[in-house]
Amino acid sequence: FKAPWKRAKGELKEAEAWDWKRVSGVLTGMFPLWVILAVSVGIVKPELVTWLNSDMITVSVALVMVFTGMTLELKDFRNILNKPAQVGLGCMCQYTIMPVCATVVARLLRLRSDVAAGVVLLGCCPGGTSSNLITMIAGGDVALSVLMTSASTVCAPFVTSAMVGMLAGSFVDIDMIGMFKSVVTVVLGPVFCGVVINKFFPEISTLAQEVTPLLSVSLVSLICGSVMGSSYQHIRGAGASVAVAVLLLHSLGFLFGWGVPKAMGFDERVARTTAVETGIQSSALAVVLASRHFPNPALSSIAGAISAPVQSILGSVVASYWQRSSHKLWAKDAEKKKQRLTHRLFKKRQRIQLKRSKSQELERKKLEGKAQGK
């Protein structure tokens, strides 16, 4: 250890960068706390957060998607082809389990049509950006989580629009074409811009990645607080049934998102990753789409506003529970790696021995030929 005044200038800069990364990582990891704090402010002092109006919310969500794109490279999308079964599993669970569960829960609880449509919309949205962080805590496959989030985000303009029109359309009238355009504008376009920035301006992207996770967390928290502040009276009027519906939806997403991969024979790490990807939704996108394309935005955006704190708390609890047994998964992975390495060494030795025996056989035949010639 060196005192700050004894360090070289380069060492100081490196230490400062490391300190900032560590602080940023800690603050980003406190995502559930910031969401709860913003929602609480929205209830107690709504004027502090409701300045973020619907247009600014749309821009904020687009910015979060740009930040997401800046963490991706073209090879990440190519990697999807290397894991088609696992990534396809994530998309299948995302766009079947959640929409179906949302519709069933909305009908079982007999929610008002506008509120029910918002719950279904939430279930049809792609995976949320916080899923990667929760996957890491839960001991899942973070690389696979990024691929699943990317795949569900790219599919969102087509699948989300179609699913919402098919399921939520039974509750309220929805402009599917307008919703498709909005998802392309708010999701696909910004993600593509982020990927382009990362491709052609890697220095900017590398610098930005030190602050973008914290900025994303801040923006999503502000969005939740703003929606809660502007819709709180409607939420009180809707009663506890909306909160119960959202809690059930995310709980079922985690449960079936874990159970389906296990039933299909995937390992525990893939099952945990799929569970988190299924249970965590893009609540901010649900708020934007409800405010733009639903007849009663104040009621339809309630589910999205409640979803952020609910899924953050639920995801943190599930991740903390799984984290306790993560050392067993790491031990299994280490054992598998050891077995694969041992197998490779064994095969390599076999090839060397086979090659050596062939060369010895050839040498023996040559000597025999020379002996016969003499």
Side-chain angles (χ1 to χ4, degrees), residues 238-259:
S241 57
V242 190
V244 172
V246 172
L247 178 61
L248 276 174
L249 173 60
H250 289 297
S251 300
L252 291 171
F254 277 104
L255 178 62
F256 288 117
W258 177 83

Side-chain angles (χ1 to χ4, degrees), residues 10-92:
E11 289 180 334
L12 275 173
K13 286 183 178 179
E14 188 177 343
E16 287 172 2
W18 171 249
D19 288 342
W20 164 247
K21 285 181 182 178
R22 187 167 54 184
V23 171
S24 178
V26 170
L27 292 175
T28 303
M30 295 166 66
F31 176 55
L33 177 62
W34 304 133
V35 172
I36 294 169
L37 183 61
V39 167
S40 302
V41 171
I43 295 171
V44 179
K45 283 278 187 181
E47 63 273 10
L48 294 178
V49 286
T50 49
W51 53 267
L52 198 74
N53 56 37
S54 59
D55 291 334
M56 293 176 72
I57 287 174
T58 302
V59 173
S60 299
V61 174
L63 275 174
V64 171
M65 293 301 167
V66 171
F67 298 154
T68 302
M70 288 171 69
T71 64
L72 302 174
E73 298 178 15
L74 293 176
K75 69 177 182 180
D76 293 322
F77 296 98
R78 287 196 294 268
N79 287 339
I80 293 174
L81 301 176
N82 297 330
K83 296 182 178 180
Q86 296 175 353
V87 177
L89 171 71
C91 281
M92 181 196 74

Side-chain angles (χ1 to χ4, degrees), residues 291-317:
S291 63
R292 278 187 164 193
H293 303 288
F294 281 53
N296 195 335
L299 289 176
S300 297
S301 61
I302 288 175
I306 295 175
S307 167
V310 168
Q311 69 180 356
S312 298
I313 295 169
L314 186 61
S316 299
V317 170

Side-chain angles (χ1 to χ4, degrees), residues 340-350 352:
R340 284 198 296 268
L341 182 61
T342 304
H343 181 70
R344 285 176 187 171
L345 288 172
F346 176 72
K347 288 290 185 182
K348 188 176 181 180
R349 285 174 183 170
Q350 276 190 327
I352 292 170

Side-chain angles (χ1 to χ4, degrees), residues 60-327:
S60 299
V61 174
L63 275 174
V64 171
M65 293 301 167
V66 171
F67 298 154
T68 302
M70 288 171 69
T71 64
L72 302 174
E73 298 178 15
L74 293 176
K75 69 177 182 180
D76 293 322
F77 296 98
R78 287 196 294 268
N79 287 339
I80 293 174
L81 301 176
N82 297 330
K83 296 182 178 180
Q86 296 175 353
V87 177
L89 171 71
C91 281
M92 181 196 74
C93 291
Q94 182 75 58
Y95 287 120
T96 55
I97 291 173
M98 293 303 278
V100 170
C101 287
T103 307
V104 171
V105 166
R107 293 196 179 280
L108 283 177
L109 296 179
R110 297 180 180 179
L111 301 176
R112 289 179 56 178
S113 58
D114 291 302
V115 177
V119 173
V120 173
L121 169 62
L122 176 64
C124 295
C125 283
T129 53
S130 62
S131 60
N132 307 141
L133 173 65
I134 295 174
T135 298
M136 181 183 68
I137 297 170
D141 188 334
V142 179
L144 178 61
S145 174
V146 172
L147 291 178
M148 286 182 175
T149 305
S150 305
S152 67
T153 302
V154 171
C155 293
F158 310 97
V159 183
T160 298
S161 305
M163 296 297 289
V164 170
M166 186 168 55
L167 298 175
S170 61
F171 295 103
V172 294
D173 293 327
I174 298 167
D175 178 14
M176 284 182 59
I177 303 300
M179 179 169 289
F180 173 79
K181 291 178 180 177
S182 290
V183 179
V184 170
T185 305
V186 178
V187 177
L188 199 58
V191 168
F192 177 73
C193 288
V195 173
V196 169
I197 292 171
N198 196 18
K199 171 70 175 175
F200 296 102
F201 306 99
E203 298 85 4
I204 295 174
S205 182
T206 303
L207 288 172
Q209 284 176 25
E210 295 182 7
V211 295
T212 49
L214 185 56
L215 278 176
S216 298
V217 165
S218 303
L219 287 172
V220 172
S221 301
L222 271 175
I223 290 168
C224 296
S226 176
V227 174
M228 181 63 72
S230 57
S231 306
Y232 182 60
Q233 296 304 321
H234 296 289
I235 294 172
R236 288 184 64 183
S241 57
V242 190
V244 172
V246 172
L247 178 61
L248 276 174
L249 173 60
H250 289 297
S251 300
L252 291 171
F254 277 104
L255 178 62
F256 288 117
W258 177 83
V260 170
K262 293 295 285 186
M264 294 176 68
F266 288 93
D267 62 30
E268 178 68 18
R269 192 179 288 276
V270 173
R272 291 184 184 186
T273 306
T274 308
V276 174
E277 286 297 317
T278 306
I280 301 295
Q281 299 293 95
S282 181
S283 54
L285 179 62
V287 170
V288 169
L289 295 179
S291 63
R292 278 187 164 193
H293 303 288
F294 281 53
N296 195 335
L299 289 176
S300 297
S301 61
I302 288 175
I306 295 175
S307 167
V310 168
Q311 69 180 356
S312 298
I313 295 169
L314 186 61
S316 299
V317 170
V318 172
S320 298
Y321 173 76
W322 273 335
Q323 190 181 36
R324 296 175 185 175
S325 59
S326 291
H327 64 280

